[in-house]
Amino acid sequence: MRRQKTAKIGYIIISIVFYIAGLICILKPDAMEENGKCIAGIILIAYGVIKMIGYFSKDLYCLAFQCDFACGLFLIVLGAATCCIRNCKGSYLLASIGILILLDSLLAIQTSLDAKRFGMENWKCILIFSIAAAVTGVAILIFKTMPITGCALLLEGGMRHYIVHCTVKTEI
């Protein structure tokens, strides 16, 4: 139960981080392009660790954390690569974020379908959030702009926050 609570709190915190990063990308895109690579790498690593904690927690529905082992490892490797590769352009960072959001959204679509099978009424909202985030993830890969990345990060944060709120039952 303690790991589950830790994972839930971690997901809420990472959602808030995504909200803040999204707003910065929209309001101050130049600042994010200059300073964002190392910060993004650290966020990716932290998100990967939170996903790993979630995977090993005892979640009642087994919905929110079902694919988090592989995804967590992927995020840790992606974050480390983002921090270590020095001579890359900003488009690499945006592509990484786009891939992260697309992957996470596709897994969340699976979560929404599993929630439907459990009879959860909020599965449609999870599905809508997931599809919207997936579309913005693809948009990042196509257009590679900070404002689109900001919108995608806001949706990703909202999607994660909503999924954890609806599917992880613990007393905080």
Side-chain angles (χ1 to χ4, degrees):
M1 185 65 124
R2 200 171 122 187
R3 268 189 251 159
Q4 184 179 357
K5 186 183 274 190
T6 301
K8 186 171 184 173
I9 291 168
Y11 267 107
I12 292 169
I13 291 169
I14 207 75
S15 295
I16 292 167
V17 169
F18 283 154
Y19 297 147
I20 293 167
L23 288 172
I24 292 171
C25 286
I26 293 168
L27 300 174
K28 298 216 177 243
D30 294 337
M32 197 61 149
E33 285 178 9
E34 293 171 15
N35 306 312
K37 193 167 79 166
C38 191
I39 294 168
I42 292 167
I43 291 170
L44 290 170
I45 291 169
Y47 192 24
V49 169
I50 290 166
K51 282 187 166 290
M52 298 289 284
I53 291 168
Y55 179 80
F56 289 109
S57 72
K58 303 268 190 256
D59 181 29
L60 178 65
Y61 294 124
C62 296
L63 288 175
F65 310 129
Q66 63 185 334
C67 300
D68 281 5
F69 183 79
C71 195
L73 285 176
F74 172 75
L75 290 172
I76 291 168
V77 170
L78 183 63
T82 302
C83 285
C84 293
I85 298 172
R86 298 279 180 224
N87 298 330
C88 271
K89 296 182 178 181
S91 62
Y92 163 77
L93 173 62
L94 295 180
S96 297
I97 292 170
I99 291 168
L100 156 71
I101 291 172
L102 182 58
L103 172 67
D104 217 23
S105 300
L106 295 175
L107 294 173
I109 289 170
Q110 177 182 335
T111 299
S112 72
L113 298 175
D114 291 341
K116 179 182 179 184
R117 277 198 302 261
F118 272 103
M120 298 175 85
E121 293 180 21
N122 51 10
W123 73 270
K124 290 178 188 173
C125 290
I126 295 170
L127 181 63
I128 291 167
F129 254 127
S130 303
I131 292 170
V135 167
T136 59
V138 170
I140 292 171
L141 294 171
I142 294 169
F143 300 109
K144 295 182 180 84
T145 68
M146 279 296 171
I148 291 173
T149 302
C151 293
L153 287 168
L154 290 171
L155 279 168
E156 171 72 15
M159 178 187 73
R160 265 301 122 207
H161 199 146
Y162 188 77
I163 289 172
V164 167
H165 174 73
C166 294
T167 64
V168 180
K169 300 302 174 199
T170 155
E171 300 297 321
I172 292 185

